[in-house]
Amino acid sequence: MQQRGLERDQPCKPRTVLIGTDWWTDCDDVAAMRIFVWAEEQGWIKIAGIGINACMDYSVASLDAFLTEEGRPDIAIGLDRQATDFGGNPPYQRNMLNRLYSRTNDDAEDAVSMYRRILAQTEEKLDIIEIGYPQVLSGLLQSPPDRLSGLTGVELVKQKVDKLWMMAGNWQDNGSGLENNFARNPRSRAAGHEVCQSWPTPVTFLGWEISSEILTGGTLTSPSDMVAQALRDHGSGNGRSSWDPMLALLACCGKEEEAGYRVITGTASVDAETGRNFFEPSPLGSHGYVVKTKQDDYYRQTIDQILESKQGHSD
């Protein structure tokens, strides 16, 4: 990537992606969603659908309002309606209902069914990008053949998915730690265990330790900008840790080295009871977690430049 990650030497065919998000109490999902739409506008990716894996009253309506404001009101939205056990009542979701929206939770597909439908229909392999909880991915793996596809979930993923990108885990201290997306509750812990154990394609993890100290979004100045408002609603008007935005930009780039990382390769695992993650380094492993190769300001400035480039859409 050149010019702080925003331009490429040669145009390339957009990679189709499925995106999973908790769209929950934190505001970094909102910043990440702007990066996804920006990357689609740049021709890096094509968004086939977005699955929400934490269900609250205004989940779909607020995401629909945001996507409408960002110029992509037609993206398919799926929802895990059982995911009401994460708690929280974020003000940013309620406040987004002041904007134009046309869909609510009642209108959304079941998230696992949406993933199965899109995977069954795609002719070329796509990438899945997860910035939330892993239970929809686990549910996809465990899904049986149905009217959408005669393949099991594992077979469908193996045939139609090229790579999984996840913001999950705490990989410092030799890859043994606790992190919210894996460890939040019993369902996320069991799902994290299942995904690490059974996912049949390569997986790249960006962990908590990568971006907890890199605050972004604080440079947004428009009082009507939806990302800026979400940051203020969260109490992070001066910027928020960039877990989801950094994973979003990495996955949209699709090449770890080009995005400013090196990969530690091996096999990841998650304890189904505690949610603690572990990592066994090996050159033969199908998992990897990233380590930064650039100074923090590089990632901060790149993300802020993207967020700022679209804030006029809300004026």
Side-chain angles (χ1 to χ4, degrees):
M1 294 190 292
Q2 296 182 340
Q3 294 187 0
R4 290 189 288 180
L6 304 188
E7 294 184 359
R8 288 176 161 176
D9 292 331
Q10 299 292 333
C12 59
K13 182 179 179 181
R15 294 157 43 243
T16 302
V17 300
L18 266 171
I19 298 167
T21 174
D22 44 15
W23 198 253
W24 185 50
T25 59
D26 211 334
C27 55
D28 59 330
D29 293 79
V30 183
M33 204 58 63
R34 172 163 289 176
I35 290 173
F36 288 130
V37 175
W38 172 88
E40 188 176 63
E41 292 172 350
Q42 301 302 305
W44 292 16
I45 62 170
K46 177 178 174 56
I47 303 171
I50 300 171
I52 303 175
N53 45 61
C55 181
M56 290 167 286
D57 290 344
Y58 309 120
S59 294
V60 171
S62 58
L63 179 56
D64 185 56
F66 183 82
L67 293 173
T68 299
E69 194 83 15
E70 297 287 299
R72 284 296 271 116
D74 55 334
I75 297 175
I77 298 177
L79 178 65
D80 178 6
R81 290 182 174 81
Q82 298 179 7
T84 58
D85 49 351
F86 293 101
N89 188 23
Y92 82 76
Q93 292 194 359
R94 296 193 306 273
N95 288 338
M96 284 182 179
L97 303 191
N98 295 325
R99 309 298 180 97
L100 180 66
Y101 67 93
S102 60
R103 291 177 286 182
T104 68
N105 288 1
D106 292 339
D107 301 309
E109 293 180 70
D110 171 76
V112 171
S113 294
M114 185 188 77
Y115 277 36
R116 285 188 60 86
R117 175 181 63 79
I118 291 173
L119 290 177
Q121 292 174 351
T122 187
E123 296 182 357
E124 297 181 352
K125 286 190 173 184
L126 55 74
D127 283 6
I128 295 181
I129 306 171
E130 182 57 73
I131 58 174
Y133 297 111
Q135 80 276 356
V136 170
L137 300 176
S138 174
L140 173 61
L141 291 175
Q142 296 171 356
S143 62
D146 58 12
R147 61 179 179 80
L148 298 168
S149 172
L151 301 177
T152 67
V154 171
E155 292 169 341
L156 194 55
V157 169
K158 188 174 183 179
Q159 183 179 107
K160 295 298 185 74
V161 176
D162 187 49
K163 189 168 186 175
L164 171 63
W165 306 81
M166 293 188 73
M167 193 280 115
N170 183 347
W171 307 105
Q172 59 189 346
D173 300 327
N174 298 317
S176 177
L178 279 169
E179 180 274 328
N180 177 69
N181 286 355
F182 280 150
R184 179 71 190 184
N185 65 19
R187 287 208 307 148
S188 67
R189 296 166 202 156
H193 172 79
E194 174 72 15
V195 169
C196 287
Q197 178 175 266
S198 303
W199 194 266
T201 79
V203 184
T204 291
F205 297 99
L206 185 145
W208 175 90
E209 72 284 356
I210 288 294
S211 41
S212 61
E213 301 300 320
I214 300 177
L215 305 184
T216 52
T219 60
L220 295 171
T221 58
S222 171
S224 61
D225 182 71
M226 293 184 81
V227 176
Q229 183 62 55
L231 286 161
R232 291 192 295 269
D233 289 343
H234 184 263
S236 300
N238 292 325
R240 179 59 174 151
S241 297
S242 303
W243 299 295
D244 292 348
M246 287 183 71
L247 186 276
L249 188 56
L250 165 62
C252 290
C253 175
K255 297 178 181 179
E256 294 91 344
E257 183 177 350
E258 184 177 317
Y261 303 90
R262 63 183 176 91
V263 182
I264 307 299
T265 302
T267 301
S269 61
V270 171
D271 187 295
E273 298 297 323
T274 68
R276 186 172 294 277
N277 58 259
F278 302 92
F279 199 85
E280 185 66 34
S282 168
L284 302 178
S286 62
H287 302 152
Y289 68 86
V290 295
V291 177
K292 291 175 288 190
T293 59
K294 299 181 182 294
Q295 296 297 312
D296 285 357
D297 278 348
Y298 170 83
Y299 309 96
R300 180 184 300 110
Q301 292 170 7
T302 300
I303 290 170
D304 276 340
Q305 186 176 348
I306 295 170
L307 299 180
E308 292 163 13
S309 72
K310 287 181 64 62
Q311 70 174 326
H313 287 211
S314 300
D315 290 331

